[in-house]
Amino acid sequence: MLPAAELARFTADFTRAIEACAELDNWGLFARTINEWKAAAAIHADPELHARLTGPVDGDLGPVLRPEYRC
């Protein structure tokens, strides 16, 4: 379940996505928006996972790979 502050953000994202998809007649953005918010709700529903993902990072997480650019 999303906290109250996140519900307001979800409502705004949902509205923008539905308007854009209806205008373009392409519903991919709407599906992605719903999937992203479902993931956010799952994180908020699990207190341990939420704490791990929003807490400080300890130590070095290793090297960052250079992105590959393709044309």
Side-chain angles (χ1 to χ4, degrees), residues 39-61:
I43 291 167
H44 284 287
D46 183 338
E48 183 180 324
L49 178 59
H50 185 267
R52 288 181 59 208
L53 293 175
T54 58
V57 176
D58 294 328
D60 185 355
L61 298 177

Side-chain angles (χ1 to χ4, degrees), residues 17-49:
I18 228 138
E19 288 172 347
C21 292
E23 184 176 327
L24 299 172
D25 194 26
N26 181 340
W27 296 93
L29 173 64
F30 182 70
R32 187 173 74 216
T33 300
I34 295 301
N35 286 334
E36 289 172 356
W37 279 104
K38 282 170 78 173
I43 291 167
H44 284 287
D46 183 338
E48 183 180 324
L49 178 59

